[in-house]
Coordinates of all heavy atoms in Angstrom, one line a residue:
M1 N 0.8 -1.2 0.0 CA 0.0 0.0 0.0 C 0.9 1.2 0.0 O 1.8 1.4 0.8 CB -0.9 0.0 1.2 CG -1.8 1.2 1.3 SD -2.9 0.8 2.8 CE -3.4 2.5 3.0
I2 N 0.6 2.1 -0.9 CA 1.4 3.4 -1.0 C 0.6 4.5 -0.2 O -0.5 4.7 -0.4 CB 1.5 3.9 -2.4 CG1 2.3 2.8 -3.2 CG2 2.2 5.2 -2.5 CD1 2.3 3.1 -4.7
K3 N 1.4 5.1 0.7 CA 0.8 6.2 1.5 C 1.1 7.5 0.9 O 2.2 7.8 0.3 CB 1.4 6.2 3.0 CG 1.1 5.0 3.7 CD 1.7 5.0 5.1 CE 1.4 3.8 5.9 NZ 1.9 3.9 7.3
S4 N 0.1 8.4 0.9 CA 0.3 9.7 0.3 C 1.0 10.6 1.3 O 0.8 10.5 2.5 CB -1.0 10.3 -0.1 OG -1.8 10.5 1.0
G5 N 1.8 11.5 0.9 CA 2.6 12.4 1.7 C 1.8 13.6 2.0 O 0.7 13.9 1.4
S6 N 2.2 14.4 3.0 CA 1.6 15.7 3.3 C 1.9 16.7 2.2 O 2.8 16.5 1.4 CB 2.1 16.2 4.6 OG 3.5 16.6 4.4
P7 N 1.1 17.8 2.2 CA 1.4 18.9 1.2 C 2.8 19.4 1.3 O 3.4 19.8 0.3 CB 0.3 19.9 1.5 CG -0.8 19.2 2.2 CD -0.1 18.0 2.9
E8 N 3.3 19.4 2.6 CA 4.7 19.9 2.8 C 5.7 19.0 2.1 O 6.7 19.4 1.5 CB 5.0 20.0 4.3 CG 4.2 21.1 5.0 CD 2.8 20.7 5.4 OE1 2.5 19.4 5.5 OE2 1.9 21.6 5.6
D9 N 5.4 17.6 2.2 CA 6.3 16.7 1.6 C 6.3 16.9 0.0 O 7.4 16.8 -0.6 CB 5.9 15.2 1.9 CG 6.1 14.9 3.3 OD1 6.9 15.5 4.0 OD2 5.5 13.9 3.8
M10 N 5.2 17.1 -0.5 CA 5.1 17.3 -1.9 C 5.8 18.6 -2.3 O 6.5 18.6 -3.3 CB 3.6 17.4 -2.4 CG 3.4 17.6 -3.8 SD 4.1 16.2 -4.8 CE 2.7 15.1 -4.8
E11 N 5.6 19.6 -1.5 CA 6.3 20.9 -1.8 C 7.8 20.7 -1.8 O 8.5 21.2 -2.7 CB 5.9 22.0 -0.8 CG 6.5 23.3 -1.0 CD 6.1 24.3 0.1 OE1 5.7 23.9 1.3 OE2 6.3 25.5 -0.1
R12 N 8.3 20.0 -0.9 CA 9.7 19.7 -0.7 C 10.3 18.9 -1.9 O 11.3 19.1 -2.4 CB 10.1 19.1 0.6 CG 9.9 20.1 1.7 CD 10.2 19.5 3.1 NE 9.9 20.5 4.1 CZ 10.6 20.8 5.1 NH1 11.8 20.1 5.4 NH2 10.4 21.7 6.0
M13 N 9.5 17.9 -2.3 CA 9.9 17.0 -3.4 C 9.9 17.9 -4.7 O 10.9 17.8 -5.5 CB 8.9 15.9 -3.6 CG 9.2 15.0 -4.7 SD 8.1 13.6 -4.9 CE 6.7 14.5 -5.7
M14 N 9.0 18.7 -4.9 CA 9.0 19.6 -6.1 C 10.1 20.6 -6.1 O 10.8 20.8 -7.1 CB 7.6 20.3 -6.3 CG 6.4 19.4 -6.5 SD 6.6 18.3 -7.9 CE 6.4 19.5 -9.2
A15 N 10.4 21.2 -4.9 CA 11.5 22.1 -4.8 C 12.9 21.3 -5.1 O 13.8 21.9 -5.7 CB 11.6 22.6 -3.4
R16 N 13.0 20.1 -4.6 CA 14.2 19.3 -4.9 C 14.3 19.0 -6.4 O 15.5 19.2 -7.0 CB 14.2 18.0 -4.1 CG 15.4 17.1 -4.3 CD 16.7 17.8 -3.9 NE 17.9 17.2 -4.3 CZ 18.7 16.4 -3.5 NH1 18.3 16.4 -2.2 NH2 19.7 15.8 -3.9
M17 N 13.2 18.7 -7.1 CA 13.3 18.5 -8.5 C 13.7 19.7 -9.2 O 14.6 19.7 -10.2 CB 12.0 18.0 -9.0 CG 11.7 16.5 -8.6 SD 10.1 15.8 -9.0 CE 9.5 16.6 -10.3
D18 N 13.2 20.9 -8.8 CA 13.6 22.1 -9.4 C 15.1 22.5 -9.2 O 15.8 22.9 -10.1 CB 12.7 23.3 -8.9 CG 11.3 23.2 -9.4 OD1 11.0 22.5 -10.4 OD2 10.4 23.8 -8.8
A19 N 15.5 22.2 -8.0 CA 16.9 22.5 -7.6 C 17.9 21.6 -8.4 O 18.9 22.0 -8.9 CB 17.2 22.2 -6.2
D20 N 17.5 20.3 -8.6 CA 18.3 19.4 -9.4 C 18.4 19.8 -10.9 O 19.4 19.7 -11.5 CB 17.7 18.0 -9.4 CG 18.0 17.3 -8.0 OD1 18.8 17.8 -7.2 OD2 17.3 16.3 -7.7
K21 N 17.3 20.4 -11.4 CA 17.3 21.0 -12.8 C 18.2 22.2 -12.9 O 18.8 22.4 -14.0 CB 15.9 21.4 -13.2 CG 15.0 20.2 -13.4 CD 13.6 20.7 -13.8 CE 12.6 19.6 -13.8 NZ 11.2 20.1 -14.0
S22 N 18.4 22.9 -11.8 CA 19.1 24.2 -11.9 C 20.6 24.0 -11.3 O 21.2 24.9 -11.0 CB 18.4 25.3 -11.1 OG 18.4 25.0 -9.7
R23 N 21.0 22.7 -11.1 CA 22.3 22.5 -10.6 C 23.4 23.1 -11.5 O 23.3 23.0 -12.8 CB 22.5 21.0 -10.5 CG 23.9 20.6 -10.0 CD 24.1 19.1 -10.0 NE 25.5 18.8 -9.6 CZ 26.1 17.7 -9.8 NH1 25.4 16.7 -10.4 NH2 27.3 17.5 -9.4
P24 N 24.4 23.8 -11.0 CA 25.4 24.4 -11.8 C 26.1 23.3 -12.7 O 26.4 22.2 -12.2 CB 26.4 25.0 -10.8 CG 25.5 25.1 -9.6 CD 24.6 24.0 -9.5
I25 N 26.3 23.6 -13.9 CA 26.8 22.6 -14.9 C 28.3 22.5 -14.8 O 28.9 21.6 -15.4 CB 26.4 23.0 -16.3 CG1 26.9 24.3 -16.8 CG2 24.9 22.9 -16.5 CD1 26.7 24.6 -18.2
D26 N 29.0 23.4 -14.1 CA 30.5 23.4 -14.0 C 31.0 22.4 -13.0 O 32.2 22.3 -12.7 CB 31.1 24.7 -13.8 CG 30.7 25.3 -12.5 OD1 29.7 24.9 -11.9 OD2 31.5 26.1 -12.0
D27 N 30.1 21.6 -12.4 CA 30.5 20.6 -11.4 C 29.9 19.3 -11.6 O 28.8 19.0 -11.2 CB 30.2 21.1 -10.0 CG 30.7 20.2 -8.9 OD1 31.5 19.3 -9.2 OD2 30.3 20.5 -7.8
P28 N 30.5 18.4 -12.4 CA 29.9 17.1 -12.7 C 30.1 16.0 -11.6 O 29.7 14.9 -11.8 CB 30.7 16.7 -14.0 CG 32.0 17.2 -13.8 CD 31.8 18.6 -13.1
A29 N 30.6 16.5 -10.5 CA 30.9 15.5 -9.4 C 29.6 14.9 -8.9 O 28.5 15.6 -9.0 CB 31.6 16.2 -8.2
P30 N 29.6 13.7 -8.3 CA 28.4 13.2 -7.8 C 27.9 13.9 -6.6 O 28.6 14.6 -5.8 CB 28.9 11.7 -7.3 CG 30.3 11.8 -7.3 CD 30.8 12.9 -8.1
I31 N 26.6 13.9 -6.4 CA 25.9 14.6 -5.3 C 25.9 13.7 -4.1 O 25.4 12.6 -4.2 CB 24.5 15.0 -5.7 CG1 24.5 16.1 -6.9 CG2 23.8 15.7 -4.5 CD1 23.2 16.4 -7.4
R32 N 26.3 14.2 -3.0 CA 26.3 13.4 -1.8 C 25.3 14.0 -0.8 O 25.2 15.2 -0.7 CB 27.7 13.4 -1.1 CG 28.7 12.7 -2.0 CD 30.1 12.7 -1.3 NE 31.0 12.2 -2.2 CZ 32.2 12.7 -2.3 NH1 32.6 13.7 -1.6 NH2 33.1 12.2 -3.2
E33 N 24.5 13.2 -0.2 CA 23.5 13.6 0.7 C 23.8 13.6 2.2 O 24.5 12.7 2.6 CB 22.2 12.7 0.5 CG 21.7 12.6 -0.9 CD 20.8 13.7 -1.3 OE1 20.2 14.4 -0.5 OE2 20.8 14.0 -2.6
F34 N 23.4 14.6 2.9 CA 23.6 14.6 4.4 C 22.4 13.7 4.9 O 21.3 13.6 4.3 CB 23.5 16.0 5.0 CG 24.7 16.8 4.8 CD1 24.7 17.8 3.9 CD2 25.8 16.6 5.6 CE1 25.9 18.6 3.7 CE2 27.0 17.3 5.3 CZ 27.0 18.3 4.4
P35 N 22.7 13.0 6.1 CA 21.6 12.2 6.7 C 20.4 13.1 7.1 O 20.6 14.3 7.4 CB 22.2 11.6 7.9 CG 23.7 11.8 7.8 CD 23.9 12.9 6.8
K36 N 19.2 12.6 7.0 CA 18.0 13.4 7.3 C 18.1 14.2 8.6 O 17.7 15.3 8.7 CB 16.8 12.5 7.3 CG 15.5 13.2 7.5 CD 14.3 12.3 7.5 CE 13.0 13.1 7.6 NZ 11.8 12.2 7.4
Y37 N 18.6 13.5 9.7 CA 18.7 14.2 11.0 C 20.1 14.6 11.3 O 20.5 14.9 12.4 CB 18.2 13.2 12.0 CG 16.8 12.9 11.9 CD1 16.4 11.6 11.4 CD2 15.8 13.8 12.1 CE1 15.1 11.3 11.2 CE2 14.5 13.5 12.0 CZ 14.1 12.3 11.5 OH 12.8 12.0 11.3
G38 N 21.0 14.7 10.3 CA 22.3 15.2 10.4 C 22.7 16.4 9.5 O 23.9 16.6 9.2
K39 N 21.7 17.2 9.1 CA 22.0 18.3 8.2 C 22.7 19.4 9.0 O 22.1 19.9 10.0 CB 20.7 18.7 7.6 CG 20.0 17.7 6.7 CD 18.7 18.2 6.3 CE 17.9 17.1 5.5 NZ 16.5 17.6 5.2
P40 N 23.8 19.9 8.5 CA 24.5 21.0 9.2 C 23.7 22.3 9.1 O 23.0 22.6 8.0 CB 25.8 21.1 8.4 CG 26.0 19.9 7.6 CD 24.6 19.3 7.4
L41 N 23.8 23.1 10.1 CA 23.1 24.4 10.1 C 24.1 25.4 9.4 O 25.4 25.3 9.7 CB 22.9 24.9 11.5 CG 22.0 24.0 12.4 CD1 22.0 24.6 13.8 CD2 20.7 23.9 11.8
V42 N 23.6 26.2 8.5 CA 24.5 27.0 7.7 C 23.9 28.5 7.5 O 22.7 28.7 7.8 CB 24.7 26.4 6.3 CG1 25.5 25.1 6.3 CG2 23.4 26.3 5.5
H43 N 24.8 29.3 7.2 CA 24.5 30.7 6.8 C 25.1 31.0 5.5 O 26.3 30.8 5.3 CB 25.1 31.6 7.9 CG 24.8 33.1 7.6 ND1 25.7 34.0 7.3 CD2 23.6 33.8 7.7 CE1 25.1 35.1 7.1 NE2 23.8 35.1 7.4
V44 N 24.3 31.5 4.5 CA 24.7 31.8 3.2 C 24.0 33.1 2.7 O 22.8 33.1 2.6 CB 24.2 30.7 2.2 CG1 24.8 31.0 0.8 CG2 24.7 29.3 2.6
S45 N 24.9 34.1 2.5 CA 24.4 35.4 2.0 C 23.1 35.9 2.7 O 22.1 36.2 2.1 CB 24.1 35.3 0.5 OG 25.2 34.9 -0.2
G46 N 23.1 35.9 4.0 CA 22.0 36.4 4.8 C 20.9 35.4 5.0 O 19.9 35.8 5.7
I47 N 21.0 34.2 4.6 CA 20.0 33.2 4.8 C 20.5 32.1 5.8 O 21.7 31.7 5.6 CB 19.7 32.5 3.4 CG1 19.0 33.5 2.5 CG2 18.8 31.3 3.6 CD1 19.0 33.0 1.0
Y48 N 19.7 31.8 6.7 CA 20.0 30.7 7.6 C 19.2 29.5 7.1 O 18.0 29.6 7.0 CB 19.6 31.1 9.0 CG 20.6 32.1 9.7 CD1 20.3 33.4 9.5 CD2 21.7 31.6 10.3 CE1 21.2 34.4 10.1 CE2 22.6 32.5 10.9 CZ 22.3 33.9 10.8 OH 23.2 34.8 11.3
G49 N 19.9 28.4 7.0 CA 19.2 27.2 6.5 C 20.0 26.0 6.9 O 20.8 26.0 7.8
K50 N 19.7 24.9 6.2 CA 20.4 23.6 6.5 C 21.0 23.1 5.2 O 20.3 23.2 4.1 CB 19.4 22.6 7.0 CG 19.0 22.9 8.5 CD 18.0 21.8 9.0 CE 17.6 22.2 10.4 NZ 16.7 21.1 10.9
A51 N 22.1 22.5 5.2 CA 22.8 21.9 4.1 C 22.1 20.5 3.9 O 22.0 19.7 4.8 CB 24.3 21.8 4.2
V52 N 21.7 20.3 2.7 CA 21.0 19.0 2.3 C 21.9 18.0 1.6 O 21.9 16.8 1.9 CB 19.7 19.3 1.4 CG1 19.1 18.0 1.0 CG2 18.7 20.2 2.1
A53 N 22.8 18.6 0.7 CA 23.6 17.8 -0.1 C 24.8 18.6 -0.5 O 24.8 19.9 -0.3 CB 22.9 17.2 -1.3
W54 N 25.8 18.0 -1.1 CA 27.0 18.7 -1.5 C 27.7 18.0 -2.7 O 27.5 16.8 -2.9 CB 27.9 19.0 -0.4 CG 28.8 17.8 0.0 CD1 30.1 17.6 -0.4 CD2 28.5 16.7 0.8 NE1 30.6 16.5 0.1 CE2 29.6 15.9 0.9 CE3 27.3 16.3 1.5 CZ2 29.6 14.7 1.6 CZ3 27.3 15.1 2.3 CH2 28.5 14.3 2.3
T55 N 28.5 18.8 -3.4 CA 29.5 18.3 -4.3 C 30.8 18.9 -4.0 O 30.9 19.5 -2.9 CB 29.1 18.6 -5.8 OG1 29.2 20.1 -5.9 CG2 27.7 18.2 -6.2
H56 N 31.8 18.8 -4.9 CA 33.1 19.4 -4.6 C 33.0 20.9 -4.5 O 33.7 21.5 -3.7 CB 34.1 18.9 -5.6 CG 34.5 17.5 -5.5 ND1 35.2 17.0 -4.4 CD2 34.3 16.4 -6.3 CE1 35.4 15.7 -4.6 NE2 34.8 15.3 -5.7
K57 N 32.2 21.5 -5.3 CA 32.1 22.9 -5.5 C 30.9 23.6 -4.9 O 30.9 24.8 -4.6 CB 32.2 23.3 -6.9 CG 33.5 23.0 -7.6 CD 33.4 23.5 -9.1 CE 34.6 23.1 -9.8 NZ 34.6 23.6 -11.2
Y58 N 29.8 22.9 -4.7 CA 28.5 23.5 -4.3 C 27.9 22.8 -3.1 O 28.1 21.6 -2.9 CB 27.6 23.5 -5.5 CG 28.1 24.3 -6.6 CD1 28.8 23.8 -7.7 CD2 27.8 25.7 -6.6 CE1 29.3 24.6 -8.7 CE2 28.3 26.5 -7.7 CZ 29.0 25.9 -8.7 OH 29.5 26.7 -9.7
G59 N 27.0 23.5 -2.5 CA 26.1 22.9 -1.5 C 24.7 23.2 -1.8 O 24.4 24.2 -2.3
L60 N 23.8 22.2 -1.5 CA 22.4 22.4 -1.7 C 21.8 22.8 -0.4 O 21.9 22.0 0.6 CB 21.7 21.1 -2.2 CG 20.2 21.2 -2.6 CD1 20.0 22.3 -3.6 CD2 19.7 19.8 -3.0
I61 N 21.2 24.0 -0.3 CA 20.7 24.6 1.0 C 19.2 24.6 1.0 O 18.6 25.0 0.0 CB 21.3 26.0 1.1 CG1 22.8 26.0 0.9 CG2 20.9 26.5 2.5 CD1 23.6 25.1 1.8
E62 N 18.6 24.3 2.1 CA 17.1 24.4 2.3 C 16.9 25.5 3.3 O 17.7 25.6 4.3 CB 16.5 23.1 2.7 CG 16.9 22.6 4.0 CD 16.1 21.3 4.4 OE1 15.3 20.8 3.7 OE2 16.4 20.8 5.5
W63 N 15.8 26.3 3.1 CA 15.5 27.3 4.1 C 14.0 27.7 3.9 O 13.4 27.4 2.9 CB 16.4 28.5 3.9 CG 16.1 29.4 2.7 CD1 15.3 30.5 2.7 CD2 16.6 29.2 1.4 NE1 15.3 31.0 1.4 CE2 16.1 30.3 0.6 CE3 17.5 28.3 0.8 CZ2 16.4 30.4 -0.7 CZ3 17.8 28.4 -0.5 CH2 17.3 29.5 -1.3
L64 N 13.5 28.3 4.9 CA 12.1 28.9 4.9 C 12.2 30.4 4.9 O 13.0 30.9 5.6 CB 11.3 28.4 6.1 CG 11.1 26.9 6.3 CD1 10.4 26.6 7.6 CD2 10.3 26.4 5.1
D65 N 11.5 31.0 3.9 CA 11.5 32.5 3.9 C 10.6 33.0 5.0 O 10.0 32.3 5.8 CB 11.1 33.0 2.5 CG 9.7 32.7 2.0 OD1 8.9 32.4 2.9 OD2 9.4 32.8 0.8
S66 N 10.4 34.3 5.1 CA 9.7 35.0 6.2 C 8.2 34.6 6.1 O 7.5 34.7 7.2 CB 9.9 36.5 6.1 OG 9.4 37.0 4.9
S67 N 7.7 34.2 5.0 CA 6.3 33.8 4.9 C 6.1 32.3 5.2 O 5.0 31.8 5.2 CB 5.7 34.1 3.5 OG 6.3 33.3 2.5
G68 N 7.2 31.6 5.4 CA 7.2 30.2 5.7 C 7.2 29.3 4.4 O 7.1 28.0 4.6
K69 N 7.5 29.8 3.3 CA 7.6 29.1 2.1 C 9.0 28.4 2.0 O 10.0 29.0 2.3 CB 7.5 30.0 0.9 CG 7.5 29.2 -0.5 CD 7.1 30.1 -1.6 CE 7.3 29.6 -3.0 NZ 7.2 28.2 -3.2
Y70 N 9.0 27.1 1.6 CA 10.2 26.3 1.6 C 11.0 26.6 0.3 O 10.4 26.7 -0.8 CB 9.8 24.8 1.6 CG 10.9 23.8 1.6 CD1 11.6 23.6 2.7 CD2 11.2 23.2 0.4 CE1 12.7 22.7 2.7 CE2 12.3 22.3 0.4 CZ 13.0 22.0 1.5 OH 14.0 21.1 1.5
H71 N 12.3 26.6 0.4 CA 13.2 26.9 -0.8 C 14.3 25.9 -0.7 O 14.8 25.5 0.4 CB 13.7 28.3 -0.8 CG 12.7 29.3 -0.9 ND1 12.2 29.8 -2.1 CD2 12.0 30.1 0.1 CE1 11.3 30.7 -1.9 NE2 11.2 30.9 -0.6
L72 N 14.8 25.6 -1.9 CA 16.1 24.8 -2.0 C 16.9 25.5 -3.1 O 16.4 25.9 -4.1 CB 15.8 23.4 -2.5 CG 15.6 22.3 -1.5 CD1 15.2 21.0 -2.2 CD2 16.9 22.0 -0.7
G73 N 18.2 25.7 -2.9 CA 19.1 26.3 -3.9 C 20.5 25.9 -3.7 O 21.0 25.6 -2.6
W74 N 21.2 25.9 -4.8 CA 22.7 25.6 -4.8 C 23.5 26.9 -4.5 O 23.1 28.0 -5.0 CB 23.1 25.1 -6.2 CG 22.6 23.8 -6.4 CD1 21.5 23.5 -7.2 CD2 23.1 22.5 -6.0 NE1 21.3 22.1 -7.2 CE2 22.3 21.5 -6.5 CE3 24.1 22.2 -5.2 CZ2 22.5 20.1 -6.2 CZ3 24.4 20.8 -5.0 CH2 23.6 19.8 -5.5
A75 N 24.5 26.8 -3.7 CA 25.4 27.9 -3.4 C 26.9 27.3 -3.5 O 27.1 26.2 -3.2 CB 25.2 28.3 -1.9
H76 N 27.7 28.3 -3.9 CA 29.1 27.9 -4.0 C 29.7 27.6 -2.7 O 29.3 28.3 -1.7 CB 29.9 29.0 -4.7 CG 31.2 28.6 -5.2 ND1 32.3 28.5 -4.4 CD2 31.6 28.1 -6.5 CE1 33.3 28.0 -5.2 NE2 32.9 27.8 -6.4
S77 N 30.5 26.6 -2.5 CA 31.0 26.2 -1.2 C 31.7 27.3 -0.5 O 31.6 27.4 0.7 CB 31.9 25.0 -1.3 OG 33.0 25.2 -2.2
S78 N 32.3 28.2 -1.2 CA 33.1 29.3 -0.5 C 32.1 30.3 0.2 O 32.5 31.0 1.0 CB 33.9 30.0 -1.5 OG 33.1 30.7 -2.5
S79 N 30.8 30.3 -0.2 CA 29.9 31.2 0.4 C 29.1 30.6 1.5 O 28.3 31.2 2.2 CB 28.9 31.8 -0.6 OG 28.1 30.7 -1.1
I80 N 29.3 29.3 1.8 CA 28.6 28.6 2.8 C 29.4 28.6 4.1 O 30.5 28.1 4.1 CB 28.2 27.1 2.4 CG1 27.4 27.2 1.1 CG2 27.5 26.4 3.5 CD1 27.2 25.8 0.5
K81 N 28.8 29.0 5.2 CA 29.4 29.0 6.5 C 28.6 28.1 7.5 O 27.4 28.4 7.7 CB 29.6 30.4 7.1 CG 30.3 30.4 8.4 CD 30.3 31.8 9.0 CE 30.9 31.7 10.4 NZ 30.3 32.6 11.3
R82 N 29.2 27.1 8.1 CA 28.6 26.3 9.1 C 28.4 27.2 10.3 O 29.4 28.0 10.7 CB 29.3 25.1 9.4 CG 29.2 24.0 8.4 CD 29.7 22.7 8.9 NE 29.7 21.7 7.9 CZ 29.6 20.4 8.1 NH1 29.5 19.9 9.3 NH2 29.5 19.5 7.1
V83 N 27.3 27.1 11.0 CA 27.1 27.9 12.3 C 26.7 26.9 13.4 O 26.1 25.8 13.1 CB 26.1 29.0 12.1 CG1 26.6 30.0 11.1 CG2 24.8 28.5 11.6
T84 N 26.9 27.3 14.6 CA 26.4 26.5 15.7 C 24.9 26.8 15.9 O 24.4 27.7 15.4 CB 27.1 27.0 17.0 OG1 26.8 28.3 17.3 CG2 28.7 26.8 16.8
S85 N 24.3 25.9 16.7 CA 22.9 26.1 17.0 C 22.6 27.5 17.7 O 21.5 28.1 17.6 CB 22.3 24.9 17.8 OG 23.0 24.8 19.0
E86 N 23.5 27.9 18.5 CA 23.4 29.3 19.2 C 23.4 30.4 18.1 O 22.8 31.4 18.3 CB 24.5 29.5 20.2 CG 24.4 28.5 21.4 CD 24.9 27.1 21.1 OE1 25.8 27.0 20.3 OE2 24.5 26.2 21.7
E87 N 24.2 30.3 17.1 CA 24.4 31.3 16.1 C 23.2 31.3 15.0 O 22.9 32.3 14.4 CB 25.7 31.1 15.3 CG 26.9 31.3 16.1 CD 28.2 30.9 15.3 OE1 28.2 29.8 14.8 OE2 29.1 31.8 15.3
W88 N 22.6 30.1 14.9 CA 21.6 29.9 13.8 C 20.3 30.7 14.1 O 19.8 30.6 15.2 CB 21.3 28.4 13.7 CG 20.7 28.1 12.4 CD1 21.1 28.1 11.2 CD2 19.4 27.5 12.3 NE1 20.2 27.6 10.3 CE2 19.1 27.2 11.0 CE3 18.3 27.2 13.2 CZ2 17.9 26.7 10.5 CZ3 17.2 26.7 12.8 CH2 16.9 26.4 11.4
K89 N 19.8 31.4 13.1 CA 18.6 32.2 13.2 C 17.5 31.7 12.3 O 16.7 32.5 11.8 CB 18.9 33.7 13.0 CG 19.8 34.2 14.1 CD 20.1 35.7 13.8 CE 21.0 36.3 14.9 NZ 22.4 36.1 14.6
G90 N 17.6 30.4 11.9 CA 16.6 29.9 10.9 C 15.3 29.5 11.6 O 15.1 29.6 12.8
D91 N 14.4 29.1 10.8 CA 13.0 28.7 11.3 C 13.0 27.3 11.9 O 13.6 26.4 11.2 CB 12.0 28.8 10.1 CG 10.6 28.7 10.5 OD1 10.3 27.8 11.3 OD2 9.8 29.6 10.0
S92 N 12.5 27.2 13.1 CA 12.5 25.9 13.8 C 11.7 24.9 13.1 O 11.8 23.7 13.4 CB 12.1 26.1 15.2 OG 10.7 26.6 15.2
K93 N 10.8 25.3 12.2 CA 9.9 24.3 11.4 C 10.8 23.6 10.3 O 10.2 22.7 9.6 CB 8.7 25.0 10.9 CG 7.8 25.4 12.0 CD 6.6 26.1 11.3 CE 6.9 27.6 11.2 NZ 5.8 28.4 10.7
L94 N 12.0 24.0 10.0 CA 12.8 23.5 9.0 C 13.2 22.1 9.5 O 13.4 21.2 8.9 CB 13.9 24.4 8.7 CG 14.8 24.0 7.4 CD1 13.9 24.0 6.2 CD2 15.8 25.0 7.2

C-alpha cells in the first residue's frame, strides 16, 4: 500500500526536482546527501538554513522564507558557513 505524503512533503519534493534541474553545470561531481537528521546548520548570503547535499564545489541549501515558504538552492561552497545552533537564526519548522 502506498501512503500519500503531506502537502509539505510534496512541496519539498517539487523544490528538490527544481533544484536538481538548476544544478550548476560546471561541477559534474556526484551529489552526496547529508543524513536526514544530520543536516548541518549554515549561513549563506543572509540566509539561515540547512545543508541537504553537496558536491566538490557546491552545497544544496534548504530554508524557509519569512512567509514560511520552503526553498532549495545551490550555493558555491566558498559562500557557505557552518554555524552553531546558538548562532543559527533559521526557522525551527525546517
Side-chain angles (χ1 to χ4, degrees):
M1 179 173 161
I2 299 173
K3 295 182 180 179
S4 62
S6 68
E8 293 83 18
D9 291 339
M10 182 61 87
E11 179 183 21
R12 289 176 184 224
M13 184 181 73
M14 297 302 290
R16 179 60 189 257
M17 288 175 25
D18 290 342
D20 287 344
K21 288 179 195 171
S22 66
R23 180 181 175 198
I25 62 171
D26 66 336
D27 186 8
I31 298 172
R32 298 184 186 135
E33 305 282 330
F34 284 105
K36 183 176 183 175
Y37 297 106
K39 297 174 185 172
L41 303 174
V42 296
H43 180 251
V44 183
S45 303
I47 295 170
Y48 287 91
K50 293 182 180 180
V52 175
W54 79 97
T55 67
H56 290 292
K57 294 182 183 180
Y58 296 93
L60 184 60
I61 311 302
E62 66 177 358
W63 73 96
L64 297 174
D65 65 20
S66 58
S67 69
K69 183 170 172 33
Y70 181 79
H71 297 274
L72 268 173
W74 290 97
H76 198 276
S77 59
S78 63
S79 67
I80 301 170
K81 180 185 176 215
R82 284 191 185 208
V83 294
T84 65
S85 56
E86 292 81 25
E87 297 171 308
W88 196 67
K89 297 178 177 88
D91 194 312
S92 61
K93 293 180 270 180
L94 189 59

